[in-house]
């Protein structure tokens, strides 16, 4: 038995990380590489990824907790800060990625990075150019990963090659309406059912220091705002609780609707700063911002400017 | 006119660096990339590369002295220490390489590295899979680069893919006997004609500190030892002069015959250390070491061990 090579995506794995690891292990087998390639994960699956794997009949990859002393292939990331425990003592034998690079190795390895919307696009092209056939399930998870990472082709990172590969994978997987399927995938992640208001707010929450003031901003992505709208009072109460307990000056939850391409902001604390930053009226601790989808680019700099 | 993108190999450019830069500029044109891609060099050509370009009708690439503020594609290297002045202020837009990696960038770029014998092998495969045809001259310089970097397939870095691509390029370039052609290329570099003994010794000379003793080791690669043998006394006189002027304890010239796979060592200074390190008798300041070709792996550690 040859030595195991683990294929892993980044921590807090998303659909692109998990599906790319599974697909690359499959590619290695189909393309005739000798070796025991094992798709792995370094964290828990999110509901979107769980939905995708279930939809196409894949089990979740094994959990790898420490990379020290192991042969590792990195997909969908390259930097130590986003990777497995024991990264610096692992033997990294390959990298396939679509991010910025911060990487060192002491001997030549296969390293392939492209400025595309997803890692799955690179893998789809590798299957198309180098294998005889693509399994329907593999095509399905690659399609899902492209749709997830490009936010159904709406992200500014989307390229023609992402769309082209997604369409080819859809054909193989037998999926007729690519966009509807993409929304279905995104819906799986955005369901708030069974989650407490606190869980929702903290699912992706970041702290900021704006000129000595403490500001916290959470964000969720939804394809349908109804659930969030129905629970608005519950969220605002929870934001207020977080503000008091955490001694924040301002706490915000962005409910970003990827279909409408806008965000509902629910706020507790210095609401007038929100009004000033976005030149919009906050009513009942809530304001809708059309065309605002990115916390990093469309909310943080604007808020920082008014503190 | 679109902005210039300069394609450069490493400093002290070799045949793989120069020919890969020229071929990649050609590939960009043929594969339909928009942009003004310019093959460049960051140092003087060696005689082997000059021979190869002349043989296939190419002019030497333009000299680029500073990369600051320019868009740059790196071929055959990636690390700042081996690259152009102004590297950190350049915008590196792509990398194609076959070395170890020490690289950072702040946004995703095309980065392709493979553990192959030459960068030219990667480029040959890109032409074969993605262009309609390959120009005879381009095939000729890619073949030359593969043969140069793999020392006519004798280097331990040679892979099946290097040999396969070399054979395909040879067919396109109309070269029947690949190995004879490889020796012809290597001969061009190894000719000592017109070079003084000092030029020969310093063409690739490195200083070492072995336990407080100053040792200098030069190396030349030849395909035929006769020229060097005929000039042995002249080389030894020059080594002695260098030893006195530079206050060395030991000065060595390795004349490595890549056909015989062995090295003639000419020495001045502490010759008994050479005898001890290699368990061989130095006669008239000269000793032949069979199977020794690598200064880095087969001479430096052995000498260091006896100091």
């Amino acid at each position: 038995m040859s030595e195991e090579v683990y294929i892993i995506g980044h921590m807090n794995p998303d659909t692109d990380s998990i599906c790319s690891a599974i697909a690359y292990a499959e590619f290695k087998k189909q393309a005739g590489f000798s070796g025991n390639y094992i798709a792995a994960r370094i964290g828990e699956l999110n509901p979107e990824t769980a939905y995708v794997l279930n939809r196409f009949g894949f089990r979740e990859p094994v959990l790898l907790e420490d990379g020290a002393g192991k042969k590792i292939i990195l997909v969908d990331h390259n930097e130590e800060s986003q990777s497995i425990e024991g990264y610096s003592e692992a033997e990294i034998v390959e990298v396939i990625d679509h991010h910025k690079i911060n990487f060192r190795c002491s001997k030549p390895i296969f390293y392939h990075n492209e400025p595309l919307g997803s890692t799955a696009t690179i893998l789809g092209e590798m299957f198309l150019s180098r294998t005889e056939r693509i399994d329907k399930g593999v095509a399905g998870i690659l399609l899902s990963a492209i749709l997830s990472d490009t936010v159904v082709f709406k992200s500014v990172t989307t390229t023609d090659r992402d769309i082209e590969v997604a369409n080819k994978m859809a054909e193989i997987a037998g999926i007729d309406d690519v966009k509807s399927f993409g929304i279905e995938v995104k819906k799986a992640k955005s369901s708030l059912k069974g989650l407490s208001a606190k869980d929702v707010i903290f699912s992706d929450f970041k702290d900021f220091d704006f000129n000595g003031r403490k500001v916290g901003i959470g964000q969720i992505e939804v394809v349908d705002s109804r659930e969030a709208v129905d629970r608005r009072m519950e969220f605002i109460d929870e934001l207020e609780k977080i503000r008091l307990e955490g001694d924040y000056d301002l706490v915000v939850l962005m409910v970003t609707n990827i279909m409408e391409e806008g965000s509902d902001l629910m706020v507790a604390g210095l609401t007038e700063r929100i009004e000033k930053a976005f030149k919009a009226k906050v009513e009942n601790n809530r304001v809708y911002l059309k065309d605002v989808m990115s916390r990093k680019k469309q909310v943080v700099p604007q808020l920082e400017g008014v503190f």
Side-chain angles (χ1 to χ4, degrees), chain A:
Chain A
M1 191 77 174
S2 58
E3 198 176 355
E4 287 88 2
V5 181
Y6 292 92
I7 307 174
I8 59 169
H10 54 72
M11 53 171 66
N12 299 320
D14 59 9
T15 301
D16 194 26
S17 270
I18 296 292
C19 295
S20 290
I22 295 171
Y24 197 41
E26 189 57 34
F27 174 83
K28 286 286 190 183
K29 212 178 298 168
Q30 276 193 45
F33 285 84
S34 68
N36 185 15
Y37 294 93
I38 300 167
R41 61 187 167 87
I42 67 171
E44 294 308 310
L45 300 193
N46 68 38
E48 178 192 293
T49 310
Y51 168 82
V52 166
L53 295 192
N54 183 54
R55 172 81 151 78
F56 294 101
F58 289 91
R59 274 184 308 215
E60 70 173 13
V62 294
L63 179 69
L64 190 66
E65 300 197 63
D66 195 317
K70 295 194 168 61
K71 281 189 201 287
I72 303 271
I73 293 173
L74 307 178
V75 295
D76 198 33
H77 76 299
N78 69 86
E79 305 190 40
E80 179 166 10
S81 63
Q82 296 154 17
S83 198
I84 193 167
E85 185 76 33
Y87 175 99
S88 59
E89 295 101 60
E91 184 188 353
I92 296 168
V93 296
E94 290 186 32
V95 180
I96 302 181
D97 191 16
H98 70 128
H99 292 95
K100 73 187 179 73
I101 300 172
N102 180 5
F103 189 80
R104 296 184 70 143
C105 59
S106 56
K107 56 186 186 184
I109 64 167
F110 178 77
Y111 193 114
H112 190 84
N113 195 83
E114 292 212 56
L116 297 171
S118 74
T119 303
T121 305
I122 302 171
L123 289 170
E125 288 184 349
M126 287 172 74
F127 272 102
L128 289 166
S129 67
R130 294 179 53 192
T131 64
E132 298 284 312
R133 53 175 288 283
I134 308 178
D135 174 82
K136 275 183 86 148
V138 170
I141 59 174
L142 287 174
L143 169 63
S144 305
I146 299 170
L147 290 166
S148 168
D149 246 33
T150 63
V151 193
V152 196
F153 308 143
K154 284 186 179 170
S155 159
V156 291
T157 59
T158 312
T159 70
D160 291 345
R161 282 165 63 194
D162 299 307
I163 297 170
E164 194 185 317
V165 173
N167 287 332
K168 283 181 181 164
M169 294 300 126
E171 206 177 299
I172 295 163
I175 285 165
D176 295 327
D177 187 336
V178 170
K179 290 203 174 171
S180 303
F181 175 68
I183 294 160
E184 206 180 306
V185 166
K186 278 291 175 192
K187 241 182 206 162
K189 186 176 184 178
S190 69
S191 170
L192 308 180
K193 263 192 222 43
L195 295 176
S196 71
K198 196 173 173 183
D199 286 346
V200 170
I201 294 165
F202 281 121
S203 67
D204 177 9
F205 189 84
K206 288 183 177 162
D207 280 346
F208 300 91
D209 178 332
F210 293 150
N211 201 20
R213 299 298 190 116
K214 189 176 175 192
V215 177
I217 310 175
Q219 182 176 28
I220 57 169
E221 282 181 353
V222 300
V223 292
D224 181 330
S225 304
R226 276 172 299 180
E227 269 186 285
V229 169
D230 288 347
R231 294 174 64 182
R232 190 182 301 155
M233 288 317 299
E234 187 192 339
F235 290 138
I236 291 168
D237 286 349
E238 185 64 37
L239 290 171
E240 185 59 35
K241 223 170 113 189
I242 292 168
R243 186 181 74 77
L244 291 170
E245 284 172 5
D247 208 19
Y248 286 92
D249 294 290
L250 175 65
V251 187
V252 181
L253 173 65
M254 292 176 68
V255 178
T256 300
N257 188 312
I258 62 176
M259 304 313 297
E260 292 174 1
E261 304 187 25
S263 295
D264 235 322
L265 263 56
M266 301 174 194
V267 299
L270 301 172
T271 55
E272 70 279 10
R273 304 293 174 116
I274 296 282
E275 296 191 321
K276 204 171 161 197
F278 300 101
K279 294 173 186 63
K281 184 128 193 69
V282 175
E283 286 183 287
N284 300 323
N285 298 71
R286 182 214 162 229
V287 62
Y288 182 75
L289 301 177
K290 202 173 163 301
D291 296 326
V292 170
M293 295 182 77
S294 168
R295 172 172 52 191
K296 185 169 63 182
K297 293 187 176 165
Q298 297 174 295
V299 173
V300 170
Q302 288 72 5
L303 266 180
E304 193 165 21
V306 297
F307 271 92

